[in-house]
């Protein structure tokens, strides 16, 4: 019985992984093969087509099957994956090397910024490429491609606030249908030109690259489009587990993609004119309209997976201290990972609309696509090296052997994509650079603010001694004072004494810390230290994937039992107004940016799940 339940659970997780993990890479056949021949650099000969198909197959094999499945998915952070988890793991591995740790954090955070830039390009290029199938059915549909694409995308982003909890299983079934259809579509064409199967041998890829070195280098930028979305295998590992993701890849996704790409190659050998849009040209006439509909659905699912990933990445970035607190809403009562971040949703929508209107076609967007993803892959490989060398303590020759091949491949693809900068590659890079400045300014500003608070604050033990010597009026109940700097007197306490002239009977000095690991067990989140004078120091720790809930964490501590009666407990917070100054530390424009972000951040009370009717906020002004 348990064996059957295990198989049922594995099947359900594998189905879910197909719907979420493989949406992006699964819709690449819509535009990847087409872009190789769009430039006109590659002549449509049998040898060239087989060489290109071999490049496609072995790119999928090396980057996805070997790099992600065999290596990187082993570098999990307590079961969690993704660039943020890998960044936390790498920073832990070199924490005894401060300069190296700071450099890796900067590189990793730029990778996160690139991921958000990818979040703008992916929905735009995917949906446009699907709707462009209407042009194959009838050229008269051309003027309507962009408006229909914008309508589909707008509907997708407007629907985010309702959540996707109920759609998860449907997404899986729909994507299984998609992969089966695209795989079957290639079979008749391969049967007509079985010579394309020779591309399974890597020597055809190597021969093409050697015989046409300059053209092959240019072509790599288009070939790389077949693996955009591969990072989702690692990013979604915490949701589905490594085994279901691996099973889905080898049993369904890789065979379907291979059949479809080989089918497109066989088609252009039969009909060179079909190279303008081989994906839709390979469909029989009766299947054309349903396939446009299915392709649009598949690209919506792919975009949905990336948007959900952006929400999760934003939450993790906040927890690691690189973004201000943002309003986060839960869209499922059962799944804690189902969240909606309005600010991220509307920012992505604005970027997607801008991309569609500015580039107007999937071909133009494909030029912008790839550069950010290929750079993310370079960063992922670099971080993985430091994890296996300094975290796992593996021998240096083994670490170099494990990562150098992948790094060379990643750099080759990134170098080729650099040729696209003038054609549109500047767009995601510019977005990533702007976001990196925002993330780094917030982190640096928080550091400066904490230093200023510490330098101006009173020492807590000395303060408690003075309270015992000259006690103010004590009132019944418990006061919880949130403090950014442990061991110092919170400004909210000083304001309370100054204005109300009273001190509560019991006082908790609470500091919230975000850790480099994904989750902290609930019973280990609150660490309590007795300070005497009916006072306690409390450090509440959350992992970067935890849901911050201070009252729940405090309720688990046996040392605080009986102190947190809702009828007699108050939470005191300091609401700081940051004022830029001309002192050293950060340029004035970045100080102003930080000040604006600090002002716009959602309230700490809501973010930490403090009961609204028990919160008292005290205002103060701080110069950076």
């Amino acid at each position: 019985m348990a064996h059957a339940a295990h198989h049922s659970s594995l099947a359900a997780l594998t189905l879910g992984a197909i719907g979420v993990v493989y949406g992006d890479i699964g819709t690449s056949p819509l535009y990847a093969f087409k872009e190789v021949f769009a430039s006109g650099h590659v002549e449509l000969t049998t040898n060239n087509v087989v060489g290109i198909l071999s490049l496609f197959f072995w790119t999928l094999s090396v980057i996805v099957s070997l790099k992600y499945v065999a290596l990187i998915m082993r570098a999990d952070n307590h079961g969690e994956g993704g660039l943020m988890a890998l960044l936390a793991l790498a920073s832990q591995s070199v924490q005894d090397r401060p300069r190296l740790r700071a450099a890796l954090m900067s590189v990793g955070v730029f990778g996160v910024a690139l991921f958000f830039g990818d979040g703008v390009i992916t929905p735009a290029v995917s949906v446009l490429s699907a709707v462009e199938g209407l042009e194959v059915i009838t050229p008269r549909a051309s003027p309507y491609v962009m408006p229909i694409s914008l309508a589909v995308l707008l509907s997708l982003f407007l629907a985010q606030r309702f959540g996707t909890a109920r759609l998860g299983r449907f997404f899986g079934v729909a994507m299984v249908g998609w992969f089966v259809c695209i795989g079957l579509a290639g079979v008749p064409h391969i049967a007509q030109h079985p010579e394309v199967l020779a591309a399974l041998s890597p020597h055809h890829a190597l021969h093409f690259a050697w015989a046409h070195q300059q053209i092959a280098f240019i072509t790599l930028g288009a070939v790389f489009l077949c693996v955009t979305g591969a990072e989702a295998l690692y990013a979604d590992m915490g949701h589905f587990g490594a085994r279901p993701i691996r099973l889905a890849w080898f049993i369904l996704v890789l065979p379907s993609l291979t059949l479809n790409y080989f089918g497109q190659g066989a088609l252009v050998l039969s009909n060179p004119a079909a190279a303008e849009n081989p994906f839709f040209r390979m469909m029989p006439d009766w299947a054309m309209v349903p396939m446009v509909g299915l392709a649009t659905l598949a690209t919506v699912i792919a975009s949905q997976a990336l948007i959900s990933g952006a929400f999760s990445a934003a939450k993790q970035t906040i927890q690691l201290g690189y973004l201000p607190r943002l309003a986060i809403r839960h869209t499922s009562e059962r799944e804690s990972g189902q969240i909606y971040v309005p600010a991220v949703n509307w920012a992505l929508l604005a970027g997607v609309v801008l991309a569609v209107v500015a580039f107007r076609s999937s071909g133009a967007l494909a030029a912008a696509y790839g550069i950010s993803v290929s750079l993310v892959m370079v960063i992922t490989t670099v971080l993985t090296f430091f994890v296996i060398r300094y975290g796992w303590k593996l021998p240096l020759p083994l670490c170099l052997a494990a990562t150098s091949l992948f790094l060379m491949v990643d750099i080759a693809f990134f170098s080729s994509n650099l040729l696209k900068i003038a054609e549109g590659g500047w767009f995601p890079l510019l977005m990533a650079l702007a976001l990196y400045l925002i993330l780094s300014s917030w982190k640096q500003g928080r550091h400066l603010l904490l230093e200023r608070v510490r330098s101006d604050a009173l020492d807590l033990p000395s303060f408690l001694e003075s309270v015992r010597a000259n006690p103010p009026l004590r009132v019944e109940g418990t006061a919880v004072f949130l403090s950014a700097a442990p061991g110092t007197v919170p400004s909210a306490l000083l304001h309370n004494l100054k204005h109300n002239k009273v001190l509560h009977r019991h006082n908790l000095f609470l500091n919230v810390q975000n850790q480099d690991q994904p989750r902290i067990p609930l019973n280990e989140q609150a660490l309590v230290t007795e300070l005497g004078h009916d006072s306690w120091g409390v450090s509440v720790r959350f992992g970067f994937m935890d849901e911050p809930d201070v009252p729940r964490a405090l309720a688990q501590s046996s040392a605080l039992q009986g102190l947190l009666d809702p009828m007699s407990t108050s939470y005191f917070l300091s609401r700081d107004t940051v004022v830029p100054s001309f002192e050293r530390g950060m340029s004035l424009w970045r100080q102003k940016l930080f000040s604006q972000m600090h002002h716009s951040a959602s309230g700490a009370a809501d973010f930490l799940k403090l009961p609204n009717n028990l919160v008292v906020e005290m205002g103060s002004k701080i110069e950076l």
Side-chain angles (χ1 to χ4, degrees):
M1 197 75 172
H3 189 64
H6 170 73
H7 279 290
S8 173
S9 173
L10 182 62
L13 286 169
T14 305
L15 182 66
I18 292 169
V20 173
V21 176
Y22 293 109
D24 191 358
I25 199 170
T27 52
S28 296
L30 284 164
Y31 48 82
F33 190 79
K34 174 178 72 173
E35 289 307 311
V36 171
F37 299 98
S39 62
H41 293 300
V42 182
E43 192 180 347
L44 275 167
T45 65
T46 301
N47 286 340
N48 284 354
V49 169
V50 171
I52 291 294
L53 290 175
S54 189
L55 276 173
F56 269 80
F57 178 75
W58 285 100
T59 297
L60 288 166
S61 298
V62 171
I63 289 185
V64 183
S65 302
L66 292 179
K67 178 182 171 181
Y68 279 95
V69 172
L71 176 64
I72 291 177
M73 284 178 70
R74 296 179 187 276
D76 66 290
N77 192 336
H78 299 270
E80 298 293 342
L83 192 58
M84 295 302 294
L86 186 64
L87 175 58
L89 211 56
S91 68
Q92 287 172 17
S93 303
V94 296
Q95 56 188 349
D96 56 337
R97 296 172 170 82
R99 287 188 178 179
L100 179 58
R101 185 176 186 272
L104 286 182
M105 290 298 286
S106 295
V107 169
V109 169
F110 186 66
V112 173
L114 286 165
F115 168 77
F116 284 108
D118 181 34
V120 168
I121 299 288
T122 297
V125 71
S126 300
V127 173
L128 265 174
S129 62
V131 179
E132 281 169 356
L134 294 172
E135 294 178 316
V136 178
I137 299 171
T138 169
R140 287 180 295 179
S142 293
Y144 304 103
V145 168
M146 194 169 77
I148 292 172
S149 299
L150 286 172
V152 169
L153 289 164
L154 184 62
S155 302
L156 174 64
F157 282 95
L158 288 175
Q160 291 305 308
R161 60 195 177 99
F162 300 111
T164 57
R166 297 176 184 175
L167 295 175
R169 187 163 295 183
F170 167 73
F171 281 179
V173 172
M175 288 308 295
V176 167
W178 167 257
F179 282 115
V180 169
C181 287
I182 67 170
L184 291 176
V187 172
H189 299 282
I190 295 171
Q192 289 178 9
H193 285 275
E195 62 267 29
V196 297
L197 293 173
L200 293 170
S201 170
H203 87 272
H204 288 286
L206 296 172
H207 180 267
F208 176 81
W210 183 256
H212 311 278
Q213 293 177 22
Q214 188 174 355
I215 292 173
F217 179 70
I218 295 169
T219 305
L220 281 181
V223 172
F224 181 77
L225 294 173
C226 76
V227 288
T228 53
E231 65 277 7
L233 275 78
Y234 181 52
D236 291 310
M237 193 165 62
H239 294 290
F240 302 102
R243 193 178 177 205
I245 291 173
R246 287 173 176 144
L247 281 174
W249 173 250
F250 287 112
I251 292 173
L252 178 66
V253 180
L254 179 59
S256 298
L257 291 175
T258 302
L259 287 171
N260 189 267
Y261 284 125
F262 281 31
Q264 291 189 46
L267 172 66
V268 298
L269 288 178
S270 297
N271 178 16
E276 62 167 337
N277 198 329
F279 180 85
F280 285 108
R281 294 284 183 195
M282 71 194 298
M283 304 297 165
D285 291 341
W286 61 265
M288 194 73 75
V289 174
M291 204 61 196
V292 170
L294 183 58
T296 304
L297 177 62
T299 56
V300 165
I301 292 172
S303 302
Q304 175 60 60
L306 196 137
I307 294 165
S308 298
F311 292 159
S312 297
K315 180 189 169 188
Q316 294 172 31
T317 308
I318 293 166
Q319 295 284 76
L320 286 175
Y322 283 93
L323 268 180
R325 294 181 302 270
L326 300 173
I328 297 175
R329 299 177 194 165
H330 287 265
T331 56
S332 170
E333 294 179 4
R334 291 182 298 175
E335 295 289 332
S336 62
Q338 293 277 352
I339 58 173
Y340 167 59
V341 187
V344 174
N345 189 59
W346 303 128
L348 284 177
L349 174 59
V352 168
V353 170
L354 180 63
V356 171
V357 172
F359 290 91
R360 307 186 72 82
S361 73
S362 64
L365 265 169
Y369 202 28
I371 191 164
S372 58
V373 185
S374 58
L375 188 50
V376 167
M377 288 189 176
V378 171
I379 290 169
T380 300
T381 305
V382 170
L383 293 178
T384 303
F385 169 80
F386 287 99
V387 170
I388 63 177
R389 175 71 181 113
Y390 297 105
W392 298 358
K393 309 293 185 187
L394 295 180
L396 181 60
L398 181 61
C399 296
L400 290 172
T403 55
S404 56
L405 169 65
F406 300 127
L407 187 60
M408 285 191 291
V409 172
D410 292 337
I411 290 174
F413 279 118
F414 175 62
S415 302
S416 178
N417 274 295
L418 284 176
L419 300 174
K420 299 180 179 181
I421 285 183
E423 300 171 41
W426 57 268
F427 183 70
L429 287 179
L430 189 63
M431 285 192 298
L433 183 61
L435 186 55
Y436 175 76
L437 288 173
I438 291 171
L439 298 175
S440 58
S441 296
W442 178 257
K443 185 71 170 180
Q444 178 68 2
R446 286 290 298 166
H447 175 71
L448 293 174
L449 185 63
L450 192 57
E451 279 190 343
R452 180 53 61 94
V453 169
R454 281 188 174 134
S455 66
D456 294 344
L458 301 173
D459 178 60
L460 184 58
S462 304
F463 174 81
L464 292 176
E465 286 298 326
S466 68
V467 165
R468 188 174 71 165
N470 300 289
L473 177 65
R474 305 292 288 261
V475 295
E476 292 302 319
T478 300
V480 181
F481 294 96
L482 266 71
S483 171
T488 63
V489 181
S491 59
L493 171 56
L494 296 176
H495 284 298
N496 189 44
L497 277 174
K498 178 181 177 182
H499 296 292
N500 298 324
K501 310 291 193 294
V502 296
L503 191 65
H504 283 71
R505 180 68 58 199
H506 304 109
N507 296 281
L508 271 59
F509 298 96
L510 176 70
N511 173 247
V512 176
Q513 298 178 358
N514 295 308
Q515 304 294 302
D516 282 348
Q517 66 188 75
R519 301 187 190 280
I520 306 288
L522 186 57
N523 60 349
E524 297 176 16
Q525 287 181 349
L527 303 177
V528 181
T529 306
E530 191 163 351
L531 303 175
H533 317 299
D534 291 321
S535 298
W536 293 263
V538 184
S539 176
V540 177
R541 305 173 306 148
F542 296 116
F544 60 79
M545 296 196 72
D546 279 326
E547 189 62 35
D549 191 330
V550 165
R552 185 179 62 180
L554 296 178
Q556 299 298 312
S557 173
S558 56
L560 302 177
Q561 293 302 312
L563 292 178
L564 297 168
D565 176 12
M567 299 302 292
S568 58
T569 300
S570 298
Y571 293 87
F572 288 85
L573 284 72
S574 175
R575 184 74 173 184
D576 302 322
T577 300
V578 177
V579 179
S581 70
F582 290 94
E583 294 185 20
R584 63 180 181 82
M586 214 165 45
S587 58
L588 187 61
W589 72 267
R590 291 182 75 190
Q591 288 187 42
K592 289 181 177 179
L593 173 63
F594 172 76
S595 176
Q596 185 58 45
M597 291 166 71
H598 192 276
H599 176 73
S600 303
S602 67
D606 291 336
F607 189 77
L608 299 174
K609 302 288 191 296
L610 303 182
N612 287 328
N613 59 335
L614 303 181
V615 172
V616 180
E617 287 195 336
M618 302 282 191
S620 63
K621 189 175 286 189
I622 301 177
E623 275 196 2
L624 275 184

